[in-house]
Amino acid sequence: MIRPLPVCLALVAALGAAAPPAAAAEPVAPAALSPRPGWRTIDVALPYAELLPRLRAAVRAEGMAVVAEAGPTEAARARGVRVPGNRVVGVFRNDFAVRALRASLAAMIEAPIRFYVVQTPSGATLAWKTPSHVFAPYMAEGGPALAGLARELDAIFEATAARATAP
């Protein structure tokens, strides 16, 4: 059985190692995410390095699974480039995958649904596209079954984010 998380982390490390040397070692400055339609963002005073493990724990506590992670920070550092903490965390669960497939074969391209953890000047931001927004293009095909699944996932993602960012 292939373990997705170790494979993804190994791929990120390999891609960073295979990249050419940095042209300039000028750091990328932390910045805030601007609001976007269909996105939720929560700015917190927690450092990125603290928010990321809290998110992983919150995902498990809400009955979901981290199925993939990727980010440029560590690979860039290995190349001599400073990039603020930046990680995409893919979250899903098999029973939701089966339900999504039954509702709309095409909708599964959106799984896993991702959280985005970004270092900011004042702490970190936890962001995600709401599952309802992510699955919106497939609603005509997926009908009420996909709409119900998206609503359930909206609630789980909100609860996960609240747990991860709680004081």
Side-chain angles (χ1 to χ4, degrees), residues 98-117:
V98 171
R99 289 172 56 198
L101 283 167
R102 286 185 179 139
S104 167
L105 183 64
M108 267 306 291
I109 190 123
E110 305 298 346
I113 298 173
R114 298 167 307 274
F115 280 105
Y116 189 27
V117 183

Side-chain angles (χ1 to χ4, degrees), residues 12-76:
V12 168
L15 289 174
E26 184 176 320
V28 176
L33 287 171
S34 58
R36 289 169 165 69
W39 283 51
R40 287 273 294 116
T41 59
I42 301 174
D43 297 318
V44 294
L46 295 169
Y48 164 85
E50 188 176 329
L51 180 57
L52 189 55
R54 287 177 63 148
L55 173 62
R56 291 180 188 122
V59 166
R60 287 188 302 276
E62 294 299 328
M64 298 295 282
V66 171
V67 298
E69 285 193 38
T73 307
E74 292 78 15

Side-chain angles (χ1 to χ4, degrees), residues 62-64 91-93 95-97 99-100 108 110-113 115 128-132 134-135 145-161:
E62 294 299 328
M64 298 295 282
V91 174
F92 220 62
R93 197 171 76 201
D95 59 312
F96 286 118
R99 289 172 56 198
M108 267 306 291
E110 305 298 346
I113 298 173
F115 280 105
W128 69 99
K129 292 181 183 178
T130 65
S132 291
V134 169
F135 287 132
L146 187 60
L149 172 73
R151 282 191 303 274
E152 282 180 60
L153 287 168
D154 283 343
I156 291 169
F157 271 64
E158 283 289 337
T160 302

Side-chain angles (χ1 to χ4, degrees), residues 5-19 69-76 87:
L5 182 57
V7 169
C8 288
L9 293 175
L11 180 59
V12 168
L15 289 174
E69 285 193 38
T73 307
E74 292 78 15
R87 180 68 58 135

